[in-house]
């Protein structure tokens, strides 16, 4: 008999400490949908069949697997002592001469990779010694084993994406593809040499160039492997990788309806410097910058960890919704976007800030990097997030928007997004 239960995906973007946004969003979702304002990680995971994550989002995924309550996961980002262990700054003697010179141009590493690995093991000791393939059993609630993980990294020497899976039988894995193409029908054996979920998220969260000083390094099958952040592969938003995983396993697992919850980590955007419409504040428009070697290196070193608003989400949405509904109930993208708002009032049509956000706050958020480690920076991220969660002005990221940045496809605000999330759990739903 086909499985008619919805197959649910939780996709968690990368974004450093901005991933605090994902945790706050999950708290709001569970408080209003299930009357559970502070669920454990395993309670959250029990509602999903696949968790796909990258970088900062992978840290959230691992903390859920550790079974920390959402309030405890918030502290990983919000508590300065814990945060500084993950983002442990390089000491004077740890900086190379080249990196010291590069920092003059605001390029180069600031944090130590090795101490991050140690900190992750300390924060999540429960999963630090469990093989990746055993995580689904570890997170199972009342013996119901169903939640798999897909963590994305970048293999430094093979120059390709590395998908760290808990599902050894996934038809998307290289071993399964070789097995199938060779016409083999016996069950795929576990080759051993597995890593832990902590190792996987260490690989996925080691951002290059401007952040960590060396690739994540650990042994796989007794051979040392080297990894950078999965954002390098173009999967900072991992939702398309998750949909691909589902397509490969559709028949194997009798997958029926697919429902996707894709959580971002917040973003800030400006208008182009030559925007014609009037702006209330000059800061809403980007300053013109002459392209050049140093400027382009600075831009590219951070852009590899960004994801354009439409790309991954739009392609994944189209795979599931060929009829292109304007407000898909099976594909929910939740992400606060600090952006200019085009208003038409008695003063005429002009660009303004979202309600509740000052010019100074917008400017500071726009200048803020993904490694926001100062308390005042985290306070601004939380203010943006709370404004969005409470529908006070900061809009939700569209799957596709028009030239005025208004929502064409997707959910224009958090309230409309959470309404469709709640609809997944009506009495007719039989997943829980």
């Amino acid at each position: 008999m086909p499985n008619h239960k919805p197959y649910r995906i939780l996709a968690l973007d990368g974004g450093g400490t901005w991933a605090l946004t994902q945790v706050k969003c999950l708290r709001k979702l569970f408080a209003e949908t299930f009357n559970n304002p502070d669920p454990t990680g395993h309670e959250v995971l029990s509602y999903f069949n696949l968790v796909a994550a990258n970088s900062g989002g992978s840290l959230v995924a691992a903390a859920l697997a550790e079974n920390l309550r959402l309030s405890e996961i918030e502290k990983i980002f919000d508590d300065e002592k814990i945060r500084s262990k993950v983002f442990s700054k390089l000491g004077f003697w740890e900086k190379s001469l080249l990196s010291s010179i590069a920092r003059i141009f605001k390029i180069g590493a600031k944090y130590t990779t090795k101490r991050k690995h140690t900190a992750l093991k300390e924060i999540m000791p429960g999963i630090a010694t469990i093989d990746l393939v055993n995580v689904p059993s570890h997170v199972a609630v009342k013996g119901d084993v169903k939640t798999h993980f897909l963590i994305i990294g970048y293999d430094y020497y093979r120059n390709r994406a590395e998908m760290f899976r808990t599902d050894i039988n996934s038809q998307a894995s290289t071993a399964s593809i070789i097995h199938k193409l060779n016409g083999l029908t016996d069950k795929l054996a576990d080759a051993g040499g597995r890593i832990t979920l902590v190792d996987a998220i260490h690989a996925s969260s080691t951002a290059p160039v401007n952040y960590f000083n060396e690739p994540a390094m650990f042994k796989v099958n007794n051979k040392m492997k080297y990894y950078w952040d999965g954002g390098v592969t173009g999967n900072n938003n991992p939702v398309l990788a998750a949909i691909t995983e589902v397509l490969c396993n559709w028949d194997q697992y009798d997958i029926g309806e697919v429902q996707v919850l894709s959580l971002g980590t917040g973003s800030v955007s400006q208008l182009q410097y030559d925007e014609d419409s009037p702006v209330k504040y000059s800061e809403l428009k980007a300053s013109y910058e002459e392209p050049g070697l140093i400027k382009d290196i600075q831009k590219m070193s951070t852009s590899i960890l960004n994801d354009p608003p439409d790309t991954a989400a739009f392609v994944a949405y189209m795979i599931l919704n060929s009829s292109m509904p304007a407000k898909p109930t099976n594909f929910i993208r939740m992400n606060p976007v600090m952006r200019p708002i085009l208003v038409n009032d008695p003063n005429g049509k002009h660009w303004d800030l979202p309600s509740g956000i000052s010019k100074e706050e917008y400017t500071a958020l726009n200048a803020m990097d993904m490694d926001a480690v100062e308390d005042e920076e985290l306070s601004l991220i939380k203010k943006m997030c709370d404004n969005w969660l409470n529908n006070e002005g900061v809009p939700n990221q569209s799957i596709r928007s028009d030239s005025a940045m208004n929502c064409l496809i997707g959910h224009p605000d958090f309230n409309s997004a959470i309404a469709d999330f709640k609809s997944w759990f009506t009495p007719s739903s039989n997943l829980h």
Side-chain angles (χ1 to χ4, degrees):
M1 285 286 292
N3 178 10
H4 296 295
K5 294 180 181 179
Y7 185 96
R8 296 192 176 119
I9 297 171
L10 175 63
L12 302 169
D13 288 16
T17 51
W18 292 62
L20 171 64
T21 300
Q22 295 171 343
V23 188
K24 291 176 71 65
C25 179
L26 286 170
R27 290 195 72 176
K28 181 85 167 180
L29 290 176
F30 273 71
E32 296 196 8
T33 306
F34 309 112
N35 195 29
N36 187 356
D38 194 18
T40 66
H42 293 184
E43 288 174 333
V44 173
L45 293 172
S46 70
Y47 287 88
F48 299 95
N49 301 87
L50 176 65
V51 178
N54 181 65
S55 197
S58 74
L59 176 53
V60 174
L64 292 173
E66 180 69 14
N67 207 29
L68 299 178
R69 289 192 177 275
L70 289 180
S71 60
E72 295 173 311
I73 302 175
E74 274 194 53
K75 290 181 182 178
I76 296 175
F77 300 99
D78 205 17
D79 188 293
E80 192 277 332
K81 289 183 179 178
I82 301 176
R83 193 170 65 237
S84 63
K85 289 182 178 181
V86 177
F87 289 91
S88 179
K89 292 184 178 180
L90 291 165
F92 178 81
W93 297 109
E94 292 173 306
K95 298 175 183 177
S96 67
L97 177 61
L98 178 61
S99 68
S100 296
I101 295 173
R103 288 307 301 166
I104 297 174
F105 301 101
K106 298 182 180 180
I107 303 169
K110 293 174 278 187
Y111 309 107
T112 165
T113 301
K114 288 186 174 67
R115 285 201 289 274
K116 174 166 73 74
H117 199 189
T118 300
L120 293 174
K121 293 176 182 177
E122 291 176 355
I123 294 168
M124 293 168 285
I127 59 168
T129 57
I130 298 174
D131 283 353
L132 187 63
V133 296
N134 293 327
V135 172
S137 297
H138 177 71
V139 305
V141 174
K142 297 180 180 179
D144 185 11
V145 180
K146 72 177 184 184
T147 309
H148 276 292
F149 290 76
L150 179 68
I151 309 297
I152 303 171
Y154 167 77
D155 188 318
Y156 182 87
Y157 282 106
R158 297 190 70 189
N159 194 26
R160 52 169 282 180
E162 181 77 46
M163 303 293 181
F164 298 101
R165 294 180 177 87
T166 58
D167 186 2
I168 62 170
N169 294 307
S170 171
Q171 295 299 300
S173 71
T174 301
S176 290
I177 293 171
I178 292 172
H179 205 69
K180 183 175 183 178
L181 293 180
N182 286 336
L184 302 177
T185 57
D186 57 311
K187 188 174 181 180
L188 190 67
D190 183 2
R194 295 291 168 178
I195 63 170
T196 69
L197 183 56
V198 168
D199 289 334
I201 67 164
H202 179 50
S204 182
S205 62
T206 304
V209 186
N210 267 12
Y211 306 101
F212 289 94
N213 64 334
E214 59 186 359
M217 293 176 277
F218 48 83
K219 286 187 177 182
V220 180
N221 291 325
N222 296 316
K223 180 184 292 186
M224 189 63 73
K225 298 284 287 184
Y226 303 77
Y227 300 101
W228 282 124
D229 191 298
V232 177
T233 70
N235 288 292
N236 197 52
N237 178 347
V239 69
L240 187 54
I243 293 298
T244 303
E245 191 78 8
V246 171
L247 291 176
C248 290
N249 292 291
W250 199 287
D251 292 335
Q252 178 181 203
Y253 297 136
D254 292 322
I255 293 172
E257 180 187 7
V258 175
Q259 296 173 329
V260 177
L261 176 62
S262 172
L263 300 185
T265 56
S267 61
V268 184
S269 62
Q270 290 177 290
L271 302 165
Q272 189 165 309
Y273 71 92
D274 57 355
E275 166 64 31
D276 293 329
S277 298
V279 295
K280 186 172 183 179
Y281 305 105
S282 61
E283 288 82 1
L284 293 172
K285 293 200 295 186
S287 301
Y288 176 76
E289 296 177 336
E290 188 71 32
L293 177 62
I294 298 300
K295 178 58 65 178
D296 290 350
I297 291 174
Q298 290 172 342
K299 195 171 186 67
M300 292 304 102
S301 67
T302 55
S303 67
I304 57 176
L305 298 176
N306 291 329
D307 182 76
D310 300 326
T311 308
F314 181 70
V315 175
Y317 150 85
M318 281 302 303
I319 291 172
L320 297 180
N321 297 279
S322 59
S323 62
M324 204 180 294
K327 192 169 76 69
T329 57
N330 67 341
F331 194 103
I332 302 173
R333 173 67 172 169
M334 292 185 173
N335 188 37
V337 182
M338 183 69 73
R339 63 167 177 83
I341 306 293
L342 188 60
V343 298
N344 193 1
D345 59 20
N347 296 319
K349 186 179 290 186
H350 65 281
W351 293 98
D352 201 348
L353 285 166
S355 299
I357 301 298
S358 71
K359 177 184 69 174
E360 291 74 21
E361 290 167 340
Y362 170 81
T363 302
L365 282 163
N366 187 46
M368 199 180 300
D369 210 338
M370 73 164 201
D371 58 325
V373 294
E374 303 300 329
D375 285 340
E376 57 268 25
E377 293 176 321
L378 268 294
S379 293
L380 277 178
I381 293 172
K382 286 188 287 185
K383 179 170 183 178
M384 176 183 70
C385 182
D386 289 339
N387 180 300
W388 167 65
L389 291 174
N390 295 318
N391 233 49
E392 294 172 348
V394 173
N396 187 54
Q397 184 185 47
S398 305
I399 295 172
R400 181 58 66 86
S401 57
D402 62 18
S403 59
M405 300 188 188
N406 294 318
C407 179
L408 282 176
I409 299 174
H411 299 83
D413 51 50
F414 180 80
N415 279 1
S416 63
I418 192 175
D420 277 344
F421 177 77
K422 289 178 180 179
S423 75
W424 292 1
F425 306 97
T426 59
S428 61
S429 172
N430 59 359
L431 181 64
H432 262 64

